[in-house]
Amino acid sequence: MAIQTAGEQKYYDLIEEKAKKMRTAMIIWISFLALALISVFSNILLGAVFGALGVFLAVRNRKEQKEMDKELERAGDKTEFFNQLIAPDALEVPDFQLIVTRDYIVQCTREKLYIRPRSEIRSKDIATEKGTKVLILTDQNGIRHEAARAKKKDAAAFDKICRALQAEE
């Protein structure tokens, strides 16, 4: 997908690290498949092992891509979603890879992309685990997501997120 608006650019800047990880994984599985093709001429067993590993990594990479696409589908009207990402009232917290807009909560870590309409968030709770405050979002299906964990250096950013989401202790 070609980037056409500033909102799309903001979204791709947010998911950049995860996208790099996925591109690297794609290069690796393609390399394994190429290695399998080359190896099959000298050692069929070795070629089969490389091929199986390449297929396994390809399936895993594709599954991760589909999960990211599914998360973006949660946004519904993508034009409105991208416009809200660049709106002046959007709260961007780079420390937590989080953007809070008027209608959406968007977070991208190395492991996971999380996009939810704010209307689907049932509760926003602040819990304390091992002396650390944790912001936990629960959606209407009961699925919990740890949005932020306050460390001493991130305390101000954590408080800012909690105020924006009107989280309760």
Side-chain angles (χ1 to χ4, degrees), residues 77-119:
D77 181 7
K78 287 185 188 56
T79 304
E80 178 61 23
F81 172 71
F82 291 134
N83 285 338
Q84 284 190 31
L85 288 179
I86 57 169
D89 64 343
L91 171 66
E92 183 175 3
V93 186
D95 294 340
F96 296 108
Q97 292 292 98
L98 179 80
I99 299 175
V100 178
T101 69
R102 184 181 67 242
D103 296 328
Y104 299 99
I105 299 170
V106 184
Q107 184 174 36
C108 187
T109 62
R110 283 189 70 117
E111 299 81 36
K112 185 177 181 184
L113 174 64
Y114 182 83
I115 300 174
R116 292 292 183 282
R118 289 178 75 163
S119 61

mmCIF file of all heavy atoms in Angstrom, residues 77-119:
data_model
loop_
_atom_site.group_PDB
_atom_site.id
_atom_site.type_symbol
_atom_site.label_atom_id
_atom_site.label_comp_id
_atom_site.label_asym_id
_atom_site.label_seq_id
_atom_site.Cartn_x
_atom_site.Cartn_y
_atom_site.Cartn_z
ATOM 1 N N ASP A 77 -13.588 3.056 9.155
ATOM 2 C CA ASP A 77 -13.322 4.083 8.149
ATOM 3 C C ASP A 77 -11.856 4.496 8.248
ATOM 4 O O ASP A 77 -11.475 5.275 9.128
ATOM 5 C CB ASP A 77 -14.248 5.271 8.365
ATOM 6 C CG ASP A 77 -14.056 6.368 7.338
ATOM 7 O OD1 ASP A 77 -13.292 6.171 6.370
ATOM 8 O OD2 ASP A 77 -14.686 7.439 7.507
ATOM 9 N N LYS A 78 -11.040 3.989 7.355
ATOM 10 C CA LYS A 78 -9.600 4.235 7.427
ATOM 11 C C LYS A 78 -9.245 5.701 7.200
ATOM 12 O O LYS A 78 -8.315 6.216 7.812
ATOM 13 C CB LYS A 78 -8.865 3.326 6.443
ATOM 14 C CG LYS A 78 -8.846 1.888 6.905
ATOM 15 C CD LYS A 78 -8.005 1.054 5.984
ATOM 16 C CE LYS A 78 -8.124 -0.406 6.304
ATOM 17 N NZ LYS A 78 -9.446 -0.947 6.290
ATOM 18 N N THR A 79 -9.976 6.370 6.337
ATOM 19 C CA THR A 79 -9.698 7.790 6.086
ATOM 20 C C THR A 79 -9.868 8.586 7.369
ATOM 21 O O THR A 79 -9.003 9.398 7.731
ATOM 22 C CB THR A 79 -10.632 8.338 4.986
ATOM 23 O OG1 THR A 79 -10.483 7.537 3.820
ATOM 24 C CG2 THR A 79 -10.314 9.779 4.672
ATOM 25 N N GLU A 80 -10.957 8.353 8.078
ATOM 26 C CA GLU A 80 -11.206 9.043 9.343
ATOM 27 C C GLU A 80 -10.150 8.649 10.385
ATOM 28 O O GLU A 80 -9.662 9.489 11.137
ATOM 29 C CB GLU A 80 -12.607 8.725 9.861
ATOM 30 C CG GLU A 80 -12.943 9.354 11.189
ATOM 31 C CD GLU A 80 -12.899 10.884 11.185
ATOM 32 O OE1 GLU A 80 -13.022 11.514 10.123
ATOM 33 O OE2 GLU A 80 -12.719 11.457 12.279
ATOM 34 N N PHE A 81 -9.792 7.369 10.409
ATOM 35 C CA PHE A 81 -8.769 6.876 11.338
ATOM 36 C C PHE A 81 -7.444 7.597 11.106
ATOM 37 O O PHE A 81 -6.833 8.111 12.037
ATOM 38 C CB PHE A 81 -8.613 5.359 11.159
ATOM 39 C CG PHE A 81 -7.455 4.760 11.910
ATOM 40 C CD1 PHE A 81 -7.484 4.647 13.288
ATOM 41 C CD2 PHE A 81 -6.343 4.303 11.231
ATOM 42 C CE1 PHE A 81 -6.419 4.092 13.985
ATOM 43 C CE2 PHE A 81 -5.280 3.739 11.910
ATOM 44 C CZ PHE A 81 -5.316 3.634 13.289
ATOM 45 N N PHE A 82 -6.988 7.646 9.851
ATOM 46 C CA PHE A 82 -5.714 8.294 9.544
ATOM 47 C C PHE A 82 -5.776 9.795 9.823
ATOM 48 O O PHE A 82 -4.802 10.391 10.279
ATOM 49 C CB PHE A 82 -5.299 8.033 8.098
ATOM 50 C CG PHE A 82 -4.913 6.598 7.829
ATOM 51 C CD1 PHE A 82 -5.391 5.945 6.707
ATOM 52 C CD2 PHE A 82 -4.083 5.906 8.692
ATOM 53 C CE1 PHE A 82 -5.031 4.622 6.452
ATOM 54 C CE2 PHE A 82 -3.720 4.583 8.452
ATOM 55 C CZ PHE A 82 -4.203 3.949 7.331
ATOM 56 N N ASN A 83 -6.931 10.420 9.574
ATOM 57 C CA ASN A 83 -7.079 11.847 9.873
ATOM 58 C C ASN A 83 -6.984 12.106 11.375
ATOM 59 O O ASN A 83 -6.417 13.120 11.797
ATOM 60 C CB ASN A 83 -8.401 12.378 9.337
ATOM 61 C CG ASN A 83 -8.382 12.551 7.828
ATOM 62 O OD1 ASN A 83 -7.314 12.673 7.220
ATOM 63 N ND2 ASN A 83 -9.546 12.542 7.224
ATOM 64 N N GLN A 84 -7.538 11.198 12.180
ATOM 65 C CA GLN A 84 -7.473 11.375 13.635
ATOM 66 C C GLN A 84 -6.048 11.205 14.160
ATOM 67 O O GLN A 84 -5.690 11.807 15.163
ATOM 68 C CB GLN A 84 -8.409 10.389 14.329
ATOM 69 C CG GLN A 84 -9.852 10.797 14.233
ATOM 70 C CD GLN A 84 -10.747 9.969 15.122
ATOM 71 O OE1 GLN A 84 -10.337 9.507 16.178
ATOM 72 N NE2 GLN A 84 -11.986 9.795 14.691
ATOM 73 N N LEU A 85 -5.244 10.402 13.495
ATOM 74 C CA LEU A 85 -3.862 10.206 13.943
ATOM 75 C C LEU A 85 -3.051 11.496 13.873
ATOM 76 O O LEU A 85 -2.130 11.695 14.662
ATOM 77 C CB LEU A 85 -3.165 9.124 13.112
ATOM 78 C CG LEU A 85 -3.610 7.686 13.359
ATOM 79 C CD1 LEU A 85 -2.850 6.739 12.440
ATOM 80 C CD2 LEU A 85 -3.430 7.278 14.803
ATOM 81 N N ILE A 86 -3.396 12.373 12.922
ATOM 82 C CA ILE A 86 -2.649 13.627 12.772
ATOM 83 C C ILE A 86 -3.401 14.833 13.316
ATOM 84 O O ILE A 86 -2.926 15.954 13.208
ATOM 85 C CB ILE A 86 -2.260 13.878 11.292
ATOM 86 C CG1 ILE A 86 -3.497 13.903 10.408
ATOM 87 C CG2 ILE A 86 -1.239 12.873 10.837
ATOM 88 C CD1 ILE A 86 -3.237 14.397 9.009
ATOM 89 N N ALA A 87 -4.554 14.585 13.921
ATOM 90 C CA ALA A 87 -5.341 15.688 14.479
ATOM 91 C C ALA A 87 -4.584 16.330 15.646
ATOM 92 O O ALA A 87 -3.820 15.667 16.349
ATOM 93 C CB ALA A 87 -6.690 15.168 14.960
ATOM 94 N N PRO A 88 -4.770 17.633 15.846
ATOM 95 C CA PRO A 88 -4.050 18.322 16.919
ATOM 96 C C PRO A 88 -4.395 17.785 18.316
ATOM 97 O O PRO A 88 -3.595 17.893 19.238
ATOM 98 C CB PRO A 88 -4.485 19.779 16.794
ATOM 99 C CG PRO A 88 -5.281 19.893 15.558
ATOM 100 C CD PRO A 88 -5.577 18.528 15.045
ATOM 101 N N ASP A 89 -5.586 17.212 18.474
ATOM 102 C CA ASP A 89 -5.975 16.706 19.795
ATOM 103 C C ASP A 89 -5.514 15.274 20.055
ATOM 104 O O ASP A 89 -5.770 14.726 21.122
ATOM 105 C CB ASP A 89 -7.491 16.820 19.989
ATOM 106 C CG ASP A 89 -8.283 15.962 19.016
ATOM 107 O OD1 ASP A 89 -7.712 15.524 17.994
ATOM 108 O OD2 ASP A 89 -9.478 15.733 19.274
ATOM 109 N N ALA A 90 -4.810 14.652 19.102
ATOM 110 C CA ALA A 90 -4.292 13.294 19.295
ATOM 111 C C ALA A 90 -3.116 13.344 20.266
ATOM 112 O O ALA A 90 -2.250 14.201 20.168
ATOM 113 C CB ALA A 90 -3.863 12.685 17.972
ATOM 114 N N LEU A 91 -3.116 12.411 21.202
ATOM 115 C CA LEU A 91 -2.031 12.323 22.175
ATOM 116 C C LEU A 91 -1.085 11.224 21.731
ATOM 117 O O LEU A 91 -1.468 10.067 21.641
ATOM 118 C CB LEU A 91 -2.587 12.002 23.568
ATOM 119 C CG LEU A 91 -1.544 11.672 24.637
ATOM 120 C CD1 LEU A 91 -0.686 12.899 24.937
ATOM 121 C CD2 LEU A 91 -2.222 11.165 25.889
ATOM 122 N N GLU A 92 0.153 11.607 21.435
ATOM 123 C CA GLU A 92 1.163 10.636 21.027
ATOM 124 C C GLU A 92 2.181 10.502 22.151
ATOM 125 O O GLU A 92 2.735 11.493 22.611
ATOM 126 C CB GLU A 92 1.853 11.084 19.745
ATOM 127 C CG GLU A 92 2.848 10.080 19.238
ATOM 128 C CD GLU A 92 3.456 10.469 17.895
ATOM 129 O OE1 GLU A 92 3.145 11.547 17.377
ATOM 130 O OE2 GLU A 92 4.252 9.668 17.375
ATOM 131 N N VAL A 93 2.400 9.254 22.588
ATOM 132 C CA VAL A 93 3.351 8.982 23.663
ATOM 133 C C VAL A 93 4.394 7.998 23.133
ATOM 134 O O VAL A 93 4.201 6.790 23.177
ATOM 135 C CB VAL A 93 2.637 8.406 24.910
ATOM 136 C CG1 VAL A 93 3.611 8.272 26.068
ATOM 137 C CG2 VAL A 93 1.453 9.267 25.301
ATOM 138 N N PRO A 94 5.496 8.531 22.592
ATOM 139 C CA PRO A 94 6.515 7.671 21.987
ATOM 140 C C PRO A 94 7.129 6.655 22.950
ATOM 141 O O PRO A 94 7.510 5.569 22.534
ATOM 142 C CB PRO A 94 7.578 8.653 21.491
ATOM 143 C CG PRO A 94 6.902 9.974 21.425
ATOM 144 C CD PRO A 94 5.821 9.944 22.451
ATOM 145 N N ASP A 95 7.198 6.999 24.253
ATOM 146 C CA ASP A 95 7.776 6.076 25.231
ATOM 147 C C ASP A 95 7.026 4.745 25.282
ATOM 148 O O ASP A 95 7.611 3.711 25.590
ATOM 149 C CB ASP A 95 7.771 6.702 26.634
ATOM 150 C CG ASP A 95 8.685 7.902 26.740
ATOM 151 O OD1 ASP A 95 9.587 8.039 25.888
ATOM 152 O OD2 ASP A 95 8.495 8.714 27.664
ATOM 153 N N PHE A 96 5.739 4.792 25.008
ATOM 154 C CA PHE A 96 4.913 3.593 25.050
ATOM 155 C C PHE A 96 4.418 3.163 23.668
ATOM 156 O O PHE A 96 3.578 2.271 23.571
ATOM 157 C CB PHE A 96 3.717 3.810 25.982
ATOM 158 C CG PHE A 96 4.108 4.019 27.414
ATOM 159 C CD1 PHE A 96 4.003 5.271 27.994
ATOM 160 C CD2 PHE A 96 4.603 2.984 28.178
ATOM 161 C CE1 PHE A 96 4.372 5.484 29.308
ATOM 162 C CE2 PHE A 96 4.980 3.185 29.495
ATOM 163 C CZ PHE A 96 4.860 4.436 30.057
ATOM 164 N N GLN A 97 4.932 3.831 22.604
ATOM 165 C CA GLN A 97 4.496 3.529 21.232
ATOM 166 C C GLN A 97 2.969 3.574 21.156
ATOM 167 O O GLN A 97 2.334 2.675 20.624
ATOM 168 C CB GLN A 97 5.002 2.159 20.790
ATOM 169 C CG GLN A 97 6.500 2.074 20.600
ATOM 170 C CD GLN A 97 6.946 2.906 19.432
ATOM 171 O OE1 GLN A 97 7.391 4.018 19.609
ATOM 172 N NE2 GLN A 97 6.819 2.390 18.242
ATOM 173 N N LEU A 98 2.372 4.620 21.703
ATOM 174 C CA LEU A 98 0.932 4.722 21.867
ATOM 175 C C LEU A 98 0.422 6.045 21.321
ATOM 176 O O LEU A 98 1.057 7.088 21.505
ATOM 177 C CB LEU A 98 0.602 4.618 23.363
ATOM 178 C CG LEU A 98 -0.847 4.711 23.777
ATOM 179 C CD1 LEU A 98 -1.528 3.359 23.543
ATOM 180 C CD2 LEU A 98 -0.948 5.084 25.239
ATOM 181 N N ILE A 99 -0.714 5.981 20.642
ATOM 182 C CA ILE A 99 -1.415 7.186 20.193
ATOM 183 C C ILE A 99 -2.865 7.061 20.643
ATOM 184 O O ILE A 99 -3.514 6.048 20.381
ATOM 185 C CB ILE A 99 -1.353 7.362 18.663
ATOM 186 C CG1 ILE A 99 0.094 7.504 18.185
ATOM 187 C CG2 ILE A 99 -2.175 8.581 18.230
ATOM 188 C CD1 ILE A 99 0.243 7.570 16.669
ATOM 189 N N VAL A 100 -3.355 8.089 21.309
ATOM 190 C CA VAL A 100 -4.746 8.132 21.741
ATOM 191 C C VAL A 100 -5.412 9.251 20.954
ATOM 192 O O VAL A 100 -4.997 10.409 21.043
ATOM 193 C CB VAL A 100 -4.870 8.395 23.258
ATOM 194 C CG1 VAL A 100 -6.335 8.481 23.663
ATOM 195 C CG2 VAL A 100 -4.142 7.332 24.048
ATOM 196 N N THR A 101 -6.414 8.890 20.158
ATOM 197 C CA THR A 101 -7.149 9.891 19.389
ATOM 198 C C THR A 101 -8.539 10.049 19.986
ATOM 199 O O THR A 101 -8.874 9.411 20.988
ATOM 200 C CB THR A 101 -7.271 9.479 17.908
ATOM 201 O OG1 THR A 101 -8.141 8.358 17.805
ATOM 202 C CG2 THR A 101 -5.915 9.152 17.313
ATOM 203 N N ARG A 102 -9.336 10.871 19.354
ATOM 204 C CA ARG A 102 -10.698 11.094 19.820
ATOM 205 C C ARG A 102 -11.483 9.775 19.878
ATOM 206 O O ARG A 102 -12.220 9.525 20.827
ATOM 207 C CB ARG A 102 -11.398 12.101 18.891
ATOM 208 C CG ARG A 102 -12.791 12.486 19.330
ATOM 209 C CD ARG A 102 -13.450 13.470 18.363
ATOM 210 N NE ARG A 102 -13.707 12.831 17.083
ATOM 211 C CZ ARG A 102 -13.173 13.201 15.910
ATOM 212 N NH1 ARG A 102 -12.349 14.219 15.857
ATOM 213 N NH2 ARG A 102 -13.462 12.569 14.806
ATOM 214 N N ASP A 103 -11.309 8.910 18.871
ATOM 215 C CA ASP A 103 -12.104 7.681 18.794
ATOM 216 C C ASP A 103 -11.318 6.387 18.910
ATOM 217 O O ASP A 103 -11.914 5.311 18.973
ATOM 218 C CB ASP A 103 -12.863 7.646 17.453
ATOM 219 C CG ASP A 103 -13.878 8.764 17.330
ATOM 220 O OD1 ASP A 103 -14.451 9.178 18.353
ATOM 221 O OD2 ASP A 103 -14.103 9.238 16.195
ATOM 222 N N TYR A 104 -9.974 6.448 18.905
ATOM 223 C CA TYR A 104 -9.164 5.222 18.853
ATOM 224 C C TYR A 104 -8.013 5.230 19.839
ATOM 225 O O TYR A 104 -7.508 6.286 20.219
ATOM 226 C CB TYR A 104 -8.566 5.028 17.448
ATOM 227 C CG TYR A 104 -9.600 4.879 16.376
ATOM 228 C CD1 TYR A 104 -9.968 5.959 15.575
ATOM 229 C CD2 TYR A 104 -10.234 3.661 16.157
ATOM 230 C CE1 TYR A 104 -10.937 5.823 14.594
ATOM 231 C CE2 TYR A 104 -11.201 3.520 15.180
ATOM 232 C CZ TYR A 104 -11.546 4.603 14.401
ATOM 233 O OH TYR A 104 -12.497 4.471 13.431
ATOM 234 N N ILE A 105 -7.604 4.008 20.182
ATOM 235 C CA ILE A 105 -6.374 3.781 20.929
ATOM 236 C C ILE A 105 -5.517 2.894 20.042
ATOM 237 O O ILE A 105 -5.954 1.825 19.609
ATOM 238 C CB ILE A 105 -6.646 3.085 22.273
ATOM 239 C CG1 ILE A 105 -7.547 3.964 23.137
ATOM 240 C CG2 ILE A 105 -5.339 2.749 22.984
ATOM 241 C CD1 ILE A 105 -8.067 3.271 24.364
ATOM 242 N N VAL A 106 -4.289 3.348 19.734
ATOM 243 C CA VAL A 106 -3.397 2.629 18.833
ATOM 244 C C VAL A 106 -2.059 2.445 19.527
ATOM 245 O O VAL A 106 -1.478 3.412 20.024
ATOM 246 C CB VAL A 106 -3.169 3.418 17.516
ATOM 247 C CG1 VAL A 106 -2.320 2.613 16.551
ATOM 248 C CG2 VAL A 106 -4.481 3.828 16.889
ATOM 249 N N GLN A 107 -1.590 1.196 19.565
ATOM 250 C CA GLN A 107 -0.290 0.915 20.166
ATOM 251 C C GLN A 107 0.389 -0.172 19.355
ATOM 252 O O GLN A 107 -0.238 -1.141 18.946
ATOM 253 C CB GLN A 107 -0.443 0.457 21.619
ATOM 254 C CG GLN A 107 0.889 0.260 22.306
ATOM 255 C CD GLN A 107 0.723 -0.062 23.775
ATOM 256 O OE1 GLN A 107 -0.196 -0.749 24.167
ATOM 257 N NE2 GLN A 107 1.632 0.461 24.589
ATOM 258 N N CYS A 108 1.669 0.009 19.129
ATOM 259 C CA CYS A 108 2.439 -1.001 18.398
ATOM 260 C C CYS A 108 3.734 -1.273 19.134
ATOM 261 O O CYS A 108 4.577 -0.401 19.257
ATOM 262 C CB CYS A 108 2.729 -0.549 16.972
ATOM 263 S SG CYS A 108 3.507 -1.848 16.000
ATOM 264 N N THR A 109 3.864 -2.501 19.617
ATOM 265 C CA THR A 109 5.106 -2.942 20.222
ATOM 266 C C THR A 109 5.760 -3.899 19.240
ATOM 267 O O THR A 109 5.183 -4.223 18.201
ATOM 268 C CB THR A 109 4.848 -3.660 21.562
ATOM 269 O OG1 THR A 109 4.051 -4.829 21.316
ATOM 270 C CG2 THR A 109 4.134 -2.748 22.549
ATOM 271 N N ARG A 110 6.936 -4.388 19.560
ATOM 272 C CA ARG A 110 7.602 -5.352 18.673
ATOM 273 C C ARG A 110 6.765 -6.614 18.513
ATOM 274 O O ARG A 110 6.820 -7.277 17.494
ATOM 275 C CB ARG A 110 8.971 -5.718 19.219
ATOM 276 C CG ARG A 110 10.012 -4.673 18.978
ATOM 277 C CD ARG A 110 11.361 -5.206 19.344
ATOM 278 N NE ARG A 110 11.776 -6.214 18.392
ATOM 279 C CZ ARG A 110 12.827 -6.116 17.614
ATOM 280 N NH1 ARG A 110 13.574 -5.050 17.678
ATOM 281 N NH2 ARG A 110 13.143 -7.074 16.788
ATOM 282 N N GLU A 111 6.010 -6.952 19.547
ATOM 283 C CA GLU A 111 5.245 -8.186 19.527
ATOM 284 C C GLU A 111 3.854 -8.045 18.923
ATOM 285 O O GLU A 111 3.332 -8.976 18.333
ATOM 286 C CB GLU A 111 5.070 -8.745 20.959
ATOM 287 C CG GLU A 111 6.342 -9.088 21.667
ATOM 288 C CD GLU A 111 7.035 -7.871 22.287
ATOM 289 O OE1 GLU A 111 6.337 -6.970 22.763
ATOM 290 O OE2 GLU A 111 8.268 -7.832 22.257
ATOM 291 N N LYS A 112 3.235 -6.877 19.100
ATOM 292 C CA LYS A 112 1.809 -6.800 18.806
ATOM 293 C C LYS A 112 1.374 -5.404 18.368
ATOM 294 O O LYS A 112 1.880 -4.400 18.859
ATOM 295 C CB LYS A 112 1.060 -7.197 20.086
ATOM 296 C CG LYS A 112 -0.406 -7.291 19.970
ATOM 297 C CD LYS A 112 -0.989 -7.766 21.288
ATOM 298 C CE LYS A 112 -2.484 -7.885 21.186
ATOM 299 N NZ LYS A 112 -3.085 -8.254 22.452
ATOM 300 N N LEU A 113 0.410 -5.387 17.459
ATOM 301 C CA LEU A 113 -0.276 -4.154 17.074
ATOM 302 C C LEU A 113 -1.640 -4.188 17.744
ATOM 303 O O LEU A 113 -2.325 -5.212 17.721
ATOM 304 C CB LEU A 113 -0.430 -4.078 15.549
ATOM 305 C CG LEU A 113 -1.251 -2.914 15.008
ATOM 306 C CD1 LEU A 113 -0.573 -1.578 15.334
ATOM 307 C CD2 LEU A 113 -1.438 -3.042 13.510
ATOM 308 N N TYR A 114 -2.020 -3.085 18.361
ATOM 309 C CA TYR A 114 -3.284 -3.007 19.091
ATOM 310 C C TYR A 114 -4.024 -1.765 18.629
ATOM 311 O O TYR A 114 -3.555 -0.641 18.836
ATOM 312 C CB TYR A 114 -2.993 -2.931 20.594
ATOM 313 C CG TYR A 114 -4.211 -2.886 21.479
ATOM 314 C CD1 TYR A 114 -4.876 -4.050 21.839
ATOM 315 C CD2 TYR A 114 -4.686 -1.683 21.976
ATOM 316 C CE1 TYR A 114 -5.976 -4.015 22.679
ATOM 317 C CE2 TYR A 114 -5.786 -1.631 22.814
ATOM 318 C CZ TYR A 114 -6.428 -2.798 23.164
ATOM 319 O OH TYR A 114 -7.524 -2.770 23.988
ATOM 320 N N ILE A 115 -5.162 -1.953 17.974
ATOM 321 C CA ILE A 115 -6.013 -0.840 17.549
ATOM 322 C C ILE A 115 -7.420 -1.137 18.044
ATOM 323 O O ILE A 115 -7.986 -2.189 17.717
ATOM 324 C CB ILE A 115 -6.041 -0.679 16.015
ATOM 325 C CG1 ILE A 115 -4.640 -0.409 15.476
ATOM 326 C CG2 ILE A 115 -7.011 0.432 15.613
ATOM 327 C CD1 ILE A 115 -4.554 -0.392 13.962
ATOM 328 N N ARG A 116 -7.972 -0.233 18.837
ATOM 329 C CA ARG A 116 -9.331 -0.400 19.321
ATOM 330 C C ARG A 116 -10.058 0.929 19.269
ATOM 331 O O ARG A 116 -9.517 1.961 19.663
ATOM 332 C CB ARG A 116 -9.368 -0.874 20.775
ATOM 333 C CG ARG A 116 -8.887 -2.261 21.044
ATOM 334 C CD ARG A 116 -9.816 -3.314 20.451
ATOM 335 N NE ARG A 116 -9.361 -4.642 20.777
ATOM 336 C CZ ARG A 116 -8.373 -5.292 20.203
ATOM 337 N NH1 ARG A 116 -7.690 -4.720 19.255
ATOM 338 N NH2 ARG A 116 -8.058 -6.510 20.548
ATOM 339 N N PRO A 117 -11.305 0.900 18.807
ATOM 340 C CA PRO A 117 -12.138 2.092 18.973
ATOM 341 C C PRO A 117 -12.358 2.306 20.473
ATOM 342 O O PRO A 117 -12.536 1.347 21.227
ATOM 343 C CB PRO A 117 -13.444 1.723 18.276
ATOM 344 C CG PRO A 117 -13.082 0.612 17.340
ATOM 345 C CD PRO A 117 -11.977 -0.124 18.019
ATOM 346 N N ARG A 118 -12.326 3.523 20.906
ATOM 347 C CA ARG A 118 -12.513 3.807 22.335
ATOM 348 C C ARG A 118 -13.868 3.337 22.823
ATOM 349 O O ARG A 118 -14.022 2.977 23.991
ATOM 350 C CB ARG A 118 -12.319 5.295 22.601
ATOM 351 C CG ARG A 118 -10.856 5.700 22.471
ATOM 352 C CD ARG A 118 -10.643 7.148 22.671
ATOM 353 N NE ARG A 118 -10.735 7.497 24.086
ATOM 354 C CZ ARG A 118 -10.272 8.620 24.581
ATOM 355 N NH1 ARG A 118 -9.692 9.505 23.804
ATOM 356 N NH2 ARG A 118 -10.399 8.880 25.860
ATOM 357 N N SER A 119 -14.841 3.290 21.919
ATOM 358 C CA SER A 119 -16.180 2.834 22.301
ATOM 359 C C SER A 119 -16.206 1.348 22.670
ATOM 360 O O SER A 119 -17.103 0.897 23.368
ATOM 361 C CB SER A 119 -17.174 3.099 21.166
ATOM 362 O OG SER A 119 -16.779 2.375 20.007
#
